Amino acid sequence: MEKEVFVEKIKEIVGSENVKPDEPMKNHTSFKVGGPADILVTPVSVLQLSQAIQLCKNENVPVFIMGNGTNLIVRDKGIRGVVIKIYDNLNEFTVKDDIITAYAGVLLSKISMAAYENGLTGLEFASGIPGTLGGAVAMNAGAYGGEMKDVIIETEFIDRDGELRVIRDDEHQFGYRTSLIQKHSGIVIRSSMKLKKGSKEEIKAMMEDLTKKRQDKQPLEMPSAGSVFKRPEGYFAGKLIEDCGLRGYRIGGAEVSTKHCGFIINTGDAIAKDILDLIAHIQSTVRMKFGVDMQTEVRIVGEA
């Protein structure tokens, strides 16, 4: 099927205003890099999402699902096929007793604030994570000793065959930055989190403390994708990079942050190749000096 015909078909499903052909992905990633997506789609309901995925499957068009692009590097030639962005919509949530149920597009920071407002503790660690719930559940996001596996009790997701599935508790198969959903290329629709009643004053104090730690130690003012590397067993990624003398090391517009060596920042004119070349340089340098393999935590997609 020709691209123009396919675009018209997907517009019939999600509406013309929610379809953008040849959309630069640098406008949709926190790193501010990335070439164009053939077609960017932002469905406003689960039905639209399911129908869009089914159309792509029927027409053998590749699909990539994203949230708000905070853990993502898109290569410079962009992404072929359809990119479905969930962040802009599918962003409702409910609070009932000690359980918060939220759709995949809700920001973690928003859910964490809702927990605080309802006197619920357990999501303080997520207050400064910039991603959406869907991505956070799929990769078992975490910070400061907390992880999504600590609170998630149920998730509804679409599997690689387009079927709607529900999993509970241990069925998530959470591991370090992974889950059953990620392993099976699933798409989170919504999740339920079970929290505990707590003191609003204590919850607020912990959130403020973690916010201060982030502001003091992380380059939040610069375009980045958070921690680039997973934590190697027995080591800290930032410390390894620093001990290799790479603090402030630059390739093109990409730089190892002088504030936190676990972060790579876009100093203003970086392209994806700069960032990826810097990642490769860090990996080879750390491997040579310490014999440690540095695996990326960020997702890297698209054509070079």
Side-chain angles (χ1 to χ4, degrees):
M1 183 183 294
E2 291 185 1
K3 180 178 176 181
E4 291 77 12
V5 176
F6 183 85
V7 166
E8 291 307 312
K9 279 186 170 291
I10 207 157
K11 281 181 177 179
E12 291 175 7
I13 294 172
V14 302
S16 300
E17 68 278 9
N18 296 315
V19 179
K20 294 181 179 180
D22 304 311
E23 176 68 10
M25 290 305 296
K26 67 181 180 181
N27 297 337
H28 300 273
T29 64
S30 59
F31 246 136
K32 306 300 181 189
V33 299
D38 285 345
I39 306 168
L40 181 77
V41 178
T42 52
V44 299
S45 69
V46 175
L47 179 61
Q48 286 186 2
L49 171 63
S50 179
Q51 290 178 340
I53 291 170
Q54 195 60 53
L55 173 65
C56 293
K57 184 180 178 182
N58 292 344
E59 300 298 336
N60 293 314
V61 174
V63 179
F64 175 69
I65 307 292
M66 66 175 290
N68 66 334
T70 55
N71 193 47
L72 186 65
I73 301 172
V74 178
R75 295 186 179 96
D76 294 311
K77 286 194 176 180
I79 302 176
R80 305 290 69 82
V82 170
V83 173
I84 296 180
K85 186 176 181 182
I86 293 179
Y87 165 61
D88 291 329
N89 301 295
L90 296 175
N91 55 11
E92 298 175 349
F93 66 91
T94 59
V95 182
K96 185 176 181 182
D97 298 325
D98 59 354
I99 293 176
I100 297 180
T101 300
Y103 279 94
V106 185
L107 286 170
L108 278 184
S109 56
K110 189 173 182 180
I111 301 172
S112 181
M113 181 57 67
Y116 155 68
E117 289 170 349
N118 286 273
L120 298 173
T121 182
L123 271 177
E124 292 88 341
F125 75 91
S127 60
I129 297 176
T132 55
L133 177 66
V137 172
M139 71 170 290
N140 186 26
Y144 295 107
E147 293 180 297
M148 296 308 296
K149 71 178 180 63
D150 302 330
V151 297
I152 297 294
I153 58 171
E154 182 176 289
T155 299
E156 184 179 339
F157 74 101
I158 297 174
D159 66 19
R160 60 172 56 136
D161 296 319
E163 298 296 321
L164 198 62
R165 293 178 57 186
V166 177
I167 54 176
R168 297 177 178 86
D169 303 321
D170 291 344
E171 292 174 344
H172 288 84
Q173 296 180 21
F174 284 124
Y176 179 61
R177 301 298 176 261
T178 189
S179 71
L180 171 82
I181 298 163
Q182 187 180 74
K183 293 171 187 171
H184 290 269
S185 304
I187 303 159
V188 174
I189 300 300
R190 61 185 167 193
S191 286
S192 292
M193 294 146 275
K194 185 171 178 61
L195 306 173
K196 295 178 182 178
K197 290 291 183 181
S199 159
K200 288 188 70 174
E201 291 75 17
E202 291 177 6
I203 295 168
K204 184 178 182 181
M206 184 178 291
M207 290 171 67
E208 289 176 347
D209 179 55
L210 294 182
T211 297
K212 187 175 187 307
K213 286 181 178 178
R214 287 188 174 93
Q215 291 171 342
D216 290 345
K217 296 180 179 180
Q218 299 178 9
L220 303 178
E221 70 283 358
M222 300 296 290
S224 78
S227 298
V228 174
F229 299 100
K230 294 179 180 179
R231 185 180 66 248
E233 190 171 346
Y235 298 90
F236 292 100
K239 181 74 163 54
L240 286 170
I241 296 167
E242 182 173 7
D243 289 348
C244 285
L246 294 176
R247 180 183 293 274
Y249 189 91
R250 289 183 67 161
I251 293 180
E255 177 183 290
V256 175
S257 171
T258 56
K259 200 170 185 180
H260 189 314
C261 291
F263 285 62
I264 291 174
I265 60 172
N266 179 351
T267 61
D269 58 354
I271 58 174
K273 185 177 185 301
D274 296 338
I275 297 167
L276 296 173
D277 286 350
L278 184 51
I279 287 173
H281 179 73
I282 291 168
Q283 289 172 321
S284 63
T285 304
V286 171
R287 188 181 302 115
M288 189 178 301
K289 183 160 185 176
F290 294 106
V292 177
D293 286 323
M294 301 279 278
Q295 297 182 358
T296 54
E297 183 171 309
V298 292
R299 297 177 75 185
I300 302 168
V301 300
E303 292 187 349

